[in-house]
Amino acid sequence: LDEATLRDARRIAAEQSTSVNALIRGFLEQLTARESRAHSARQRIVKLSRGSKGGRGSSTWTRDDLHAR
């Protein structure tokens, strides 16, 4: 960290009656928890999509039809 950032972090920590280490720990805990929830959600979506009986139906148009002007 550059000195200015570290100085600001120390000031913020002091205002919150904590340490820079505690601020960093809290940030990393929140980051890892959020990423863990996102990973779990992606796994659930994949599992649900693999088990889905839904389909897309039959196509009544061609690629050229979609791009015709």
Side-chain angles (χ1 to χ4, degrees):
L1 293 173
D2 62 82
E3 281 301 315
T5 301
L6 187 54
R7 184 177 52 248
D8 289 344
R10 286 181 180 135
R11 179 185 49 77
I12 292 167
E15 289 171 355
Q16 295 181 11
S17 300
T18 191
S19 66
V20 172
N21 188 48
L23 291 176
I24 293 169
R25 184 182 325 107
F27 170 78
L28 292 175
E29 287 171 349
Q30 289 175 1
L31 174 67
T32 56
R34 182 177 64 235
E35 290 300 316
S36 178
R37 286 190 307 271
H39 178 74
S40 295
R42 286 190 298 272
Q43 287 181 320
R44 285 192 310 271
I45 289 170
V46 168
K47 184 178 178 181
L48 288 170
S49 65
R50 286 185 178 149
S52 173
K53 295 187 184 352
R56 62 184 178 118
S58 61
S59 300
T60 59
W61 36 261
T62 66
R63 184 176 191 273
D64 289 335
D65 292 337
L66 294 176
H67 295 283
R69 293 184 181 204

